[in-house]
Amino acid sequence: MAPHEDRLSNLPDTVLHQILSLLDSQEAVRTCVLSKRWVNLWTFIHSLDLSLPDFKKINTQSPNFERSFMRFVDTLLSRREPLLHLHAFRLFCEEDNFTVNHQKINAWILYAVRHNAKVIEVSACLFRKLPKDIFTCASLQELNLDISGLGKGLRKGVIPGGVNLPRLKKLHLCGIMSWNRCILRRLLSGCPALEDLHLNVCSIDMCFISSPQLKYLTIFSGLDKTRIKAIRAPNLISLCLELRGDVLCAAIFDEMPFLVDASITVHDGTGFDGNCNILSALPNVKNLKLRGSVMKDLLSMELPKCPTFFNLTDLHISEQCMCFSSNLVSGMLKYSANLENLQIYRNKRSLCYQCRGDALINHA
């Protein structure tokens, strides 16, 4: 091998396209100055990663980096190989004082849809309207929307024919706000292959969550007036709930026989009644975390009707459950016939115990 041989440039085009697709799109474009060999390689990248904050860091001397960013994206899309399908489109526009150009962002999203993107991620503060084509993208497998204030774009009139995302497996929504009571139900009914649903501080109607193929469900609720009345996901294997406000109420959970991992955190203001059966719906859970200031209320109500958790081996529970009654923890142990590890959280510190028969051995 010659001492100054450029081994990277000697790689096949397909390999270089793959490498460039792993870079931030601006960094990928900048490789065009390396040599003649690299001039047009970036036009064949199959994943676009567009970040306004990263663009700002590199272009510190630009008098108007927002306008420069939009011009850069427009140029990139216009010069990229037009017949090349797109694997992933990621757009991150979270920036203080950034003036959202809805028309531009919609045009970029439409580009991704029309180039058969499998993954679309959009994070844009105060962006309020999405192109309806994104809800009928047949190639889409993963959709991640982190859009504070979004609501108008999800109203009924914008999705006239409903949702048709036959290949979508992962749907993550953050900061979505809408008064349309059918939004979530319509999304779920139009995603027959959905396996992973993540709702983070969304002010939308969650009353009925029904998805037969769903395997992973995560809900972080930070807003009042959110309701969960029923969850029907018989194939769920992982459940993570962190609830604030009057969320559960009379929530009815269908049995989840395949569920292995569950983490349930309930904070002040979360209400329950006698019909709530979240713990009873997890007969085969193996790893269970119970936390939050009002978890004691849920346990007090649920324990008398709980089944024996024969598969439960790891139990994490907050000390707040013991503050009012140690019987709550002993009650959980009674229903956990094969428990191996118990962790009790106390002020950000955990006390670890190993279970042997009816004895607990402290490992803190």
Side-chain angles (χ1 to χ4, degrees):
M1 183 182 68
H4 300 294
E5 182 180 355
D6 185 356
R7 298 179 64 186
L8 183 61
S9 294
N10 289 334
L11 292 173
D13 282 359
T14 53
V15 175
L16 294 178
H17 297 158
Q18 177 69 24
I19 294 173
L20 292 178
S21 294
L22 298 175
L23 300 177
D24 174 274
S25 295
Q26 188 180 8
E27 294 289 352
V29 172
R30 293 176 71 182
T31 61
C32 69
V33 302
L34 295 177
S35 68
K36 290 183 179 180
R37 171 82 167 84
W38 291 81
V39 170
N40 294 313
L41 283 174
W42 66 269
T43 63
F44 290 88
I45 55 178
H46 55 71
S47 293
L48 299 177
D49 194 340
L50 307 165
S51 170
L52 177 62
D54 291 344
F55 185 90
K56 181 180 178 180
K57 291 177 183 177
I58 296 175
N59 299 272
T60 56
Q61 304 301 321
S62 176
N64 191 331
F65 69 90
E66 297 172 1
R67 185 176 300 175
S68 298
F69 176 74
M70 290 188 286
R71 185 165 56 247
F72 165 75
V73 177
D74 286 340
T75 303
L76 171 65
L77 300 185
S78 66
R79 293 193 57 188
R80 183 177 174 273
E81 178 59 37
L83 299 180
L84 184 65
H85 285 189
L86 193 61
H87 173 74
F89 175 83
R90 298 182 177 91
L91 176 65
F92 186 72
C93 289
E94 293 284 354
E95 184 72 21
D96 291 340
N97 303 319
F98 174 61
T99 303
V100 177
N101 187 317
H102 302 281
Q103 187 175 0
K104 285 286 186 184
I105 293 180
N106 273 327
W108 299 340
I109 295 174
L110 281 174
Y111 176 92
V113 170
R114 291 167 182 171
H115 284 77
N116 301 306
K118 294 181 180 180
V119 178
I120 293 180
E121 297 182 15
V122 178
S123 180
C125 186
L126 300 179
F127 183 64
R128 294 186 178 277
K129 189 174 183 180
L130 283 169
K132 61 183 180 181
D133 303 62
I134 197 173
F135 299 106
T136 55
C137 181
S139 63
L140 200 57
Q141 297 179 12
E142 181 177 337
L143 178 60
N144 190 328
L145 300 176
D146 184 352
I147 304 177
S148 300
L150 180 65
K152 295 180 180 178
L154 288 179
R155 290 187 184 277
K156 184 176 180 180
V158 180
I159 317 175
V163 177
N164 184 23
L165 298 169
R167 294 181 175 85
L168 192 72
K169 292 187 176 181
K170 182 181 293 187
L171 176 62
H172 287 201
L173 303 177
C174 179
I176 307 298
M177 303 179 68
S178 177
W179 297 112
N180 187 335
R181 294 181 59 84
C182 299
I183 288 301
L184 185 58
R185 191 178 303 181
R186 183 173 300 174
L187 285 170
L188 295 180
S189 65
C191 305
L194 190 66
E195 296 181 354
D196 187 337
L197 176 62
H198 190 124
L199 303 174
N200 188 7
V201 196
C202 291
S203 182
I204 57 178
D205 183 12
M206 300 182 193
C207 283
F208 299 96
I209 298 177
S210 179
S211 183
Q213 302 302 321
L214 201 63
K215 295 181 179 179
Y216 307 93
L217 175 61
T218 301
I219 299 177
F220 292 116
S221 171
L223 300 172
D224 292 336
K225 300 181 180 179
T226 302
R227 300 288 186 270
I228 298 177
K229 292 184 178 179
I231 293 183
R232 299 185 176 97
N235 289 301
L236 211 62
I237 62 177
S238 176
L239 174 67
C240 181
L241 300 178
E242 183 166 347
L243 309 176
R244 300 175 187 273
D246 194 12
V247 183
L248 285 175
C249 298
I252 301 299
F253 293 76
D254 283 5
E255 187 169 303
M256 306 170 193
F258 304 109
L259 194 138
V260 175
D261 299 299
S263 176
I264 304 168
T265 304
V266 284
H267 298 285
D268 285 337
T270 304
F272 323 97
D273 71 7
N275 293 321
C276 187
N277 69 325
I278 183 170
L279 295 180
S280 302
L282 317 175
N284 298 316
V285 65
K286 292 183 179 179
N287 306 300
L288 180 61
K289 295 181 180 179
L290 303 174
R291 303 179 184 176
S293 54
V294 294
M295 177 56 69
K296 63 184 187 301
D297 298 331
L298 180 61
L299 285 175
S300 297
M301 182 189 65
E302 281 251 48
L303 280 179
K305 56 185 179 183
C306 274
T308 298
F309 299 105
F310 288 105
N311 294 330
L312 183 61
T313 58
D314 291 88
L315 175 62
H316 298 201
I317 193 166
S318 64
E319 190 190 24
Q320 292 161 318
C321 299
M322 299 179 64
C323 290
F324 292 85
S325 176
S326 59
N327 292 333
L328 296 178
V329 174
S330 60
M332 277 301 302
L333 295 178
K334 175 183 176 182
Y335 290 104
S336 308
N338 298 302
L339 192 67
E340 297 176 0
N341 297 296
L342 171 66
Q343 290 191 29
I344 299 177
Y345 288 88
R346 176 188 297 172
N347 298 327
K348 299 182 180 180
R349 177 172 173 264
S350 64
L351 302 178
C352 302
Y353 300 87
Q354 182 179 11
C355 300
R356 294 179 182 172
D358 294 331
L360 292 177
I361 303 175
N362 192 346
H363 288 270

